[in-house]
Amino acid sequence: MTTDSQTEPGTGLQFPTGFLFGAATAAYQVEGAATADGRGPSIWDTFAHTPGRVLGGDSGDVAIEHYQRFREDVALMAGLGLQAYRFSIAWPRVQPSGSGALNQAGVDFYSRLIDELLAAGIEPWPTLYHWDLPQPIEDAGGWPERDTAERFADYASAITGVLGDRVRQWTTLNEPWCSAFLGYGSGVHAPGRTDPAAAVRAGHHLMLGHGLAAGRLKAAGHKVGVTINLYDVVPVSDSEIDLDAARRIDGLQNRFFLDPVLLGSYPADVVEDLSGVTDFAHVQDGDLAAISTPLDVLGVNYYSRHVVTGTADGGDDGHGGSGGASPWPGSEHVGFTKGELPVTAMGWEIHAEGLTHVLERVATQYPSVPLYVTENGAAFPDVPGADGLVRDPDRVSYLDGHLRACQAAIDLGVPLHGYFCWSLFDNFEWSWGYSRRFGLVYVDYETQTRTPKSSAYWYGDLIRGRLVT
């Protein structure tokens, strides 16, 4: 494949030998086949079918039919030159009740997908949990309950035991901040609960589930990582109140997860900030040792930055729920502002330098671990032209800027080993339904026709080195 005209961005970009280029998706966003072959319901099925929860009443029932079209999709990946495909395994597809025997039909789907990828020379990068908790586990209390961490570890052991012979790298969780604080705090993600104390417990039990699973997988000889969504958190001024706001949001967004995983402890200031919400009695002896099981890889998802203020002058971060429910327990007073930077269709500021900042921070402030950017991308209102081509120069510019930010981090000595664009396809964008398009590949949701955008061709050319001078 060749690009139609997008060759100027990318000029001069160079990456070390062996640097891995891929693209990412998530099961509920692309697979569809919501009741096929024994798949059970997840919290996202329940949430999406609850009126008023998802824009336009959309759901992932059909999505983009990746379950039926995966061979076509893998051929498209190969044509673009992707070296790796990051996808998630739907827990309710392979273990519908969240415990017990695996559903063989679900396992067979992922086995076929992995075989197809390997035959095409594409490395599979599976994530074990990308937000689709089996509904029976939520009915028993969900992530705020300790038993869910044990259930997750059992599931992780079972599925890696049957697929792990062909997978080099496993990821336990994707963005536990979203699962905990959007799912149980603001309620804008599944399961839609608004309980600050439950959100904090969920965050801990998600990380405990990661740690328990990581210990088992590493004992079985597998390489294990976890993916955390990080933000560059910036105070709107140097005033004491704004600096404190930045400390608080950085604590909940970044350090609440980085510190337990990489240091084996919760930040003392964050524990103090949350003292009016919880006494952390849910943290038991041995939990932090399990959570800090040494990683083979840390995945970093980055989209934008947070500019915050401790005064009433700021707005919310776009994740607030109905009735003023907040994803920032103990720091609900913090406001979020935007500067004069351009924004994506999500309203997120485009701030590529922030990616360099968060990568350098992890590399310098925490024990060394190989890093990968496991999600980075942007939504724009893409529309096919009269000639059928989908030109998305804004996305090309976004990707170019963030890949330059990766290059800058490597030049600073950051051990960055790969980059995955989000997303490979337009798909179901959670509570936004099908109204936001992140894909390198345009999907006509009526016909399911796939059309690579100019950004897909640009990215493929970059991978092959044709854009490097």
Side-chain angles (χ1 to χ4, degrees):
M1 294 183 175
T2 58
T3 182
D4 52 350
S5 62
Q6 299 293 346
T7 57
E8 185 175 349
T11 300
L13 279 171
Q14 293 182 326
F15 290 88
T17 301
F19 191 88
L20 190 67
F21 286 100
T25 66
Y28 189 73
Q29 294 180 272
V30 299
E31 284 181 2
T35 60
D37 299 329
R39 180 188 179 277
S42 77
I43 56 175
W44 267 98
D45 293 286
T46 302
F47 186 84
H49 284 274
T50 302
R53 292 294 201 178
V54 175
L55 189 65
D58 293 337
S59 77
D61 288 359
V62 175
I64 64 166
E65 297 184 346
H66 184 61
Y67 187 78
Q68 297 93 340
R69 298 171 180 262
F70 73 92
R71 291 188 174 87
E72 169 192 346
D73 291 341
V74 171
L76 192 155
M77 297 177 211
L80 292 174
L82 295 187
Q83 298 168 336
Y85 175 47
R86 180 174 175 260
F87 61 96
S88 75
I89 293 173
W91 188 352
R93 192 178 293 287
V94 300
Q95 196 182 52
S97 69
S99 64
L102 295 178
N103 171 32
Q104 191 59 48
V107 173
D108 288 346
F109 165 70
Y110 294 107
S111 184
R112 291 191 297 269
L113 173 61
I114 289 169
D115 286 345
E116 195 78 11
L117 290 165
L118 291 172
I122 300 169
E123 184 175 347
W125 268 59
T127 296
L128 292 167
Y129 185 73
H130 197 133
W131 308 354
D132 45 2
L133 187 70
Q135 185 62 43
I137 298 184
E138 175 60 24
D139 293 341
W143 284 111
E145 298 300 320
R146 187 178 186 85
D147 183 62
T148 303
E150 299 282 355
R151 296 273 201 105
F152 175 74
D154 291 343
Y155 148 66
S157 292
I159 194 64
T160 57
V162 295
L163 299 178
D165 59 322
R166 288 157 289 164
V167 173
R168 181 177 70 91
Q169 179 65 53
W170 290 95
T171 300
T172 53
L173 309 175
N174 181 80
E175 297 187 350
W177 182 88
C178 294
S179 297
F181 293 111
L182 299 185
Y184 295 91
S186 68
V188 299
H189 277 193
R193 289 161 61 179
T194 54
D195 181 339
V200 177
R201 294 198 308 273
H204 176 71
H205 293 142
L206 280 152
M207 297 314 299
L208 178 60
H210 152 75
L212 295 174
R216 295 192 196 183
L217 269 57
K218 288 179 74 70
H222 301 299
K223 291 186 176 181
V224 183
V226 65
T227 285
I228 301 174
N229 54 316
L230 300 180
Y231 280 72
D232 191 24
V233 183
V234 181
V236 75
S237 79
D238 290 333
S239 71
E240 182 177 345
I241 193 170
D242 290 341
L243 289 170
D244 183 68
R247 179 196 59 77
R248 285 172 169 271
I249 298 307
D250 174 65
L252 284 171
Q253 178 75 66
N254 299 325
R255 293 181 287 120
F256 184 91
F257 299 99
L258 287 174
D259 282 27
V261 168
L262 297 177
L263 300 177
S265 62
Y266 280 108
D269 65 309
V270 176
V271 173
E272 176 61 27
D273 291 343
L274 290 168
S275 60
V277 177
T278 177
D279 60 4
F280 276 80
H282 55 275
V283 180
Q284 298 185 11
D285 290 346
D287 285 6
L288 288 164
I291 293 170
S292 58
T293 297
L295 297 174
D296 298 293
V297 163
L298 177 66
V300 174
N301 290 0
Y302 177 86
Y303 290 94
S304 187
R305 66 174 180 173
H306 288 318
V307 182
V308 299
T309 176
T311 72
D313 297 334
D316 66 39
D317 68 338
H319 292 308
S322 60
S326 170
W328 307 107
S331 296
E332 293 89 348
H333 66 282
V334 173
F336 293 76
T337 70
K338 290 185 174 65
E340 297 181 355
L341 296 177
V343 299
T344 69
M346 299 295 290
W348 300 342
E349 280 192 331
I350 300 174
H351 187 254
E353 295 88 346
L355 177 54
T356 305
H357 296 163
V358 299
L359 291 171
E360 184 183 17
R361 176 190 188 181
V362 174
T364 58
Q365 296 184 14
Y366 292 91
S368 180
V369 60
L371 301 178
Y372 287 75
V373 173
T374 38
E375 287 184 25
N376 176 243
F380 293 106
D382 307 313
V383 178
D387 56 4
L389 298 177
V390 184
R391 297 175 176 83
D392 56 342
D394 288 340
R395 182 171 292 104
V396 171
S397 177
Y398 180 99
L399 297 177
D400 177 78
H402 286 78
L403 283 162
R404 292 186 189 280
C406 290
Q407 185 181 59
I410 293 169
D411 291 344
L412 290 169
V414 172
L416 182 64
H417 297 277
Y419 174 93
F420 290 79
C421 178
W422 184 272
S423 174
L424 177 57
F425 300 104
D426 291 337
N427 55 47
F428 176 81
E429 185 47 43
W430 307 114
S431 57
W432 289 95
Y434 296 98
S435 69
R436 300 293 187 272
R437 293 181 178 270
F438 275 87
L440 294 170
V441 176
Y442 183 90
V443 178
D444 182 322
Y445 298 125
E446 294 296 322
T447 66
Q448 298 292 353
T449 301
R450 279 89 158 119
T451 303
K453 304 173 188 178
S454 54
S455 59
Y457 296 128
W458 177 88
Y459 190 50
D461 285 349
L462 175 69
I463 294 169
R464 296 184 183 93
R466 291 206 294 264
L467 297 182
V468 176
T469 60

